[in-house]
Amino acid sequence: MNNVEETLTLKVPALGKGVALLEVIAREPGLGFTAIQERLGMPKSSTHHLISTMCELGLIKRRSVGGYGLGLKLFELAGIANESNDLQREAMPLLRELAQRVQLTCHLGVFEQGEAVYLARLEGARDIVVRSHVGQRFPVNCSALGKSLIAWLAPEQLDSLIANLTFEKRMPKTVTNAADLRLQLADVRRRGWALDDEEQAPNCRCIAAPIRDRDGIVVAAISTVGTLEQVDDKRFETLAAQVISVASAISEAVYSTVAQAAAPPRPRAAEKGKRR
């Protein structure tokens, strides 16, 4: 039996535990057996079997400095996924050009299971680096990219999403209730871009705009982020126009359509089975 066949024989609960193990190691590289077992809340024998199996499959590995890290098999699969991702492939050159032009860190992200997820990250100014990484997940209510992704959701889908948000207060300016979030989303739809003004992290401002398919449905978003000094009040409109322009260019490149910045996109159809 080869690795693929062995993987397919895993039961769903075991698969879920395997994914949980990968997430633990991704967040805390170098964890040892005891720490992993505590994080997962599993018996020692089950944890040992899971770790051994994941090592055999190449999904995790023992590190030379101790503990466990992600395996090369994951990087191989990630590379294949990236190559098959038309959105990311077409967006990267345009996003790189934007990062160089505005000298700010730029991101490409999508909406998945109630959260925003970074697909790509490109740095602009090297003297001030914003801490973020590809694959990072974050709440949609306190990020510009997240607001851009959900502002045009179908009403019933937006209602369901908001009803399940925890509204964690990360910063003094973080939106902590549904009414205020709806007001912000209305502003996003009106002007075509979203703002995060120290809502997720201190001394950090972010501007984002949506990427749309040929039907005008929001499928992704891009953002540019910097310090309060880099993104001051006088720069909002100019920077927003640049972000909207690149988002429209990506929409055209990927979906062969020119997105109109001034016209709001059609609401995204409600997705069945979507959960927080």
Side-chain angles (χ1 to χ4, degrees), residues 114-259:
E115 297 177 305
V117 185
Y118 286 145
L119 292 183
R121 174 186 185 278
L122 290 169
E123 292 181 8
R126 293 288 178 177
D127 55 334
I128 301 177
V129 179
V130 176
R131 297 184 62 181
S132 60
H133 62 269
V134 174
Q136 180 177 346
R137 291 175 173 270
F138 47 93
V140 293
N141 62 292
C142 59
S143 62
L145 194 140
K147 293 172 193 175
S148 287
L149 290 169
I150 69 171
W152 288 277
L153 287 174
E156 62 273 19
Q157 189 179 3
L158 182 59
D159 290 344
S160 177
L161 171 66
I162 292 178
N164 286 283
L165 289 176
T166 58
F167 287 105
E168 175 187 355
K169 189 176 182 63
R170 296 193 168 196
M171 295 291 296
K173 293 184 179 181
T174 301
V175 176
T176 56
N177 62 78
D180 287 344
L181 177 59
R182 289 182 183 279
L183 288 175
Q184 284 199 3
L185 296 180
D187 285 339
V188 173
R189 290 189 292 270
R190 175 180 54 79
R191 65 193 178 202
W193 55 275
L195 171 68
D196 164 10
D197 186 7
E198 290 191 290
E199 297 170 46
Q200 188 173 201
N203 191 31
C204 185
R205 277 178 173 166
C206 180
I207 290 176
I211 294 171
R212 313 162 191 174
D213 66 12
R214 64 175 63 252
D215 294 319
I217 296 174
V218 176
V219 293
I222 61 170
S223 66
T224 183
V225 57
T227 64
L228 299 185
E229 182 179 357
Q230 292 174 313
V231 187
D232 59 28
D233 295 351
K234 297 179 180 179
R235 197 180 182 189
F236 278 171
E237 294 297 333
T238 300
L239 194 56
Q242 292 174 303
V243 175
I244 288 174
S245 177
V246 173
S248 297
I250 294 173
S251 299
E252 181 179 6
V254 180
Y255 303 104
S256 300
T257 181
V258 179

Side-chain angles (χ1 to χ4, degrees), residues 5 23 100 141 178 198 213 269 276:
E5 290 172 335
E23 291 180 340
Q100 294 173 349
N141 62 292
E198 290 191 290
D213 66 12
R276 171 70 173 86

